[in-house]
Amino acid sequence: MDHISPVIWQFLIKWLTNFSLYPPEASKIAPQMDALYFFMVLVSMIGMTIVILLLTSFSILYSKKRHPVAVQIEGSTMLEATWTIIPLGLFLIMFVWGSLIYFRVYTPPANAMNIYVVGKQWMWKAEHPGGQHEINALHIPTGRPIQLTLISQDVFHSFSIPAFRVKREAIPGRYTSVWFEATQVGTYHLFCTQYCGTNHSAMIGDIVVLSPDDYKKWLGQSTSGMSLSQNGERLYTSLSCGACHNGRPDARGPSLAGVFGTKLTLTNGKSELADEAYLREAILNPSEHVTQGFSPIMPTYQGQISEDGVISLVEYIKNLNSNDRIEQTLNTTTLLPEGEGPAKSAVKKTTAGQTSPPQGMVTQ
């Protein structure tokens, strides 16, 4: 033992102690993923065994020693059909099986809790509906469907949780989503599996699965004091969005109350579903998403609102069921002294006397 480095020896001990062929099955979809995986491995091993046996037996039976003179062997239609139809059938089974799992993983249930995840070099930032923020960590409860809405602020990333058997790309300028339901309490690895630059290997984190009661305690201890929707309302007010989107008959913009999840007809005649991706694009590129009956007068907020701010606005609009809240804001601001509107009142004073914009605004 003296000739083995202590560091290497400790590494070998830990590696052999914790070695496993595959990660634990910690989500509802994991057993289905593993069943397909082992079916594919089994088919591959059987196919490899058949090929090796045939290759070995043919090498012996038809060797030059046994057959000095080559003999022409005519083909068999039945044999050729057999080795074509059987593999085709197995491949179709894998295709259909894999497709069913794929569509299930990427079609979240209606009651899933939505958590936003923003990837950037080289960290993951999770934003919970209640306003809790996490860096390179994600706390979730067991027994509840969790939908992750992902986006990147710079380059392509890939959000991977091996224990849950889920992986989804985080793409710049576009929302992607994936969902899962954790079944086992514990801490699991989070990786970025898309090479994203110098410190790609350091873009890791932990998925902490808690019991429902412990998760409620964590939410109470980790609250930031303002939910995503509440911060979105502040941004909505500071940007004077209610001046146009107020639901009045003479409004210059369409009403946003109850718009989420509905079909909108645009001026180009196309119909669009008002989901998270549509709302994001309508905020950043409004000229390309003008609702029928309105003029393209809305300015772009590209570069003025951070990705976190866009997420907050989207959450506010998703939860906006009536125009009463907007009317209250408009009526309140009309009573303010001249020069103090929504944009002025939403700006806070710092201890140094400088002004700071609401959370989500891009500072120049």
Side-chain angles (χ1 to χ4, degrees):
M1 299 295 298
D2 294 338
H3 60 279
I4 300 179
S5 167
V7 176
I8 297 178
W9 180 249
Q10 289 297 323
F11 169 77
L12 290 173
I13 291 176
K14 289 184 178 181
W15 182 75
L16 291 172
T17 302
N18 300 301
F19 175 76
S20 60
L21 289 176
Y22 56 95
E25 296 177 341
S27 71
K28 274 193 171 182
I29 200 66
Q32 301 177 42
M33 288 277 197
D34 288 347
L36 174 58
Y37 171 75
F38 287 119
F39 175 76
M40 295 174 67
V41 170
L42 179 62
V43 170
S44 299
M45 292 181 67
I46 292 174
M48 182 182 67
T49 302
I50 292 174
V51 170
I52 292 175
L53 289 176
L54 289 175
L55 182 63
T56 304
S57 60
F58 287 168
S59 299
I60 296 172
L61 292 175
Y62 299 102
S63 64
K64 188 175 181 180
K65 185 184 293 186
R66 289 175 178 266
H67 298 276
V69 179
V71 179
Q72 180 65 33
I73 300 176
E74 297 296 329
S76 169
T77 303
M78 180 61 70
L79 182 61
E80 293 177 2
T82 300
W83 72 44
T84 301
I85 293 174
I86 291 179
L88 177 62
L90 292 172
F91 293 151
L92 287 176
I93 290 173
M94 297 177 195
F95 172 76
V96 174
W97 192 348
S99 298
L100 292 174
I101 294 177
Y102 176 88
F103 287 115
R104 181 179 180 188
V105 169
Y106 296 119
T107 308
N111 63 336
M113 180 175 68
N114 190 25
I115 299 175
Y116 291 89
V117 177
V118 180
K120 59 182 177 180
Q121 296 172 318
W122 288 271
M123 57 174 280
W124 297 106
K125 181 179 181 181
E127 301 194 33
H128 295 254
Q132 296 81 8
H133 303 285
E134 302 185 77
I135 301 296
N136 293 333
L138 178 63
H139 287 71
I140 56 173
T142 58
R144 183 172 181 181
I146 305 295
Q147 176 184 344
L148 300 181
T149 300
L150 303 112
I151 195 167
S152 170
Q153 286 191 197
D154 37 50
V155 298
F156 275 69
H157 300 283
S158 188
F159 190 91
S160 174
I161 313 173
F164 295 171
R165 308 299 191 270
V166 296
K167 183 176 82 74
R168 190 61 161 164
E169 286 66 35
I171 303 173
R174 172 184 164 191
Y175 284 143
T176 57
S177 64
V178 68
W179 79 277
F180 52 81
E181 184 175 334
T183 56
Q184 297 181 20
V185 172
T187 301
Y188 305 98
H189 294 299
L190 163 65
F191 298 100
C192 175
T193 53
Q194 174 72 45
Y195 181 72
C196 55
T198 308
N199 293 330
H200 161 69
S201 61
M203 196 168 173
I204 56 177
D206 293 321
I207 306 297
V208 183
V209 182
L210 305 171
S211 65
D213 291 337
D214 289 339
Y215 181 70
K216 288 180 181 178
K217 293 178 182 177
W218 178 84
L219 287 177
Q221 296 169 355
S222 307
T223 180
S224 64
M226 183 176 292
S227 68
L228 289 180
S229 182
Q230 289 171 331
N231 188 58
E233 184 177 10
R234 289 185 65 227
L235 276 172
Y236 191 91
T237 303
S238 68
L239 296 170
S240 301
C241 300
C244 295
H245 301 282
N246 50 45
R248 296 172 180 172
D250 59 345
R252 291 175 291 177
S255 171
L256 300 180
V259 72
F260 182 75
T262 62
K263 283 272 190 178
L264 299 177
T265 303
L266 307 184
T267 53
N268 57 12
K270 293 183 179 179
S271 293
E272 293 276 359
L273 176 64
D275 55 7
E276 290 93 344
Y278 173 85
L279 293 178
R280 180 184 183 277
E281 281 298 307
I283 293 169
L284 300 180
N285 301 297
S287 61
E288 298 180 10
H289 302 83
V290 181
T291 305
Q292 195 172 67
F294 295 91
S295 302
I297 60 174
M298 178 175 168
T300 178
Y301 290 97
Q302 188 85 43
Q304 301 182 50
I305 310 176
S306 67
E307 201 60 60
D308 295 342
V310 174
I311 289 173
S312 295
L313 279 172
V314 168
E315 278 299 299
Y316 172 63
I317 296 171
K318 284 171 62 176
N319 293 281
L320 189 62
N321 298 320
S322 71
N323 290 301
D324 294 342
R325 188 81 176 178
I326 299 174
E327 285 292 335
Q328 290 175 6
T329 303
L330 290 173
N331 293 335
T332 301
T333 54
T334 56
L335 301 177
L336 292 173
E338 187 177 353
E340 293 188 23
K344 296 287 185 181
S345 60
V347 175
K348 292 182 176 181
K349 286 281 186 179
T350 63
T351 55
Q354 298 175 338
T355 58
S356 62
Q359 183 180 351
M361 293 288 288
V362 175
T363 55
Q364 299 298 328

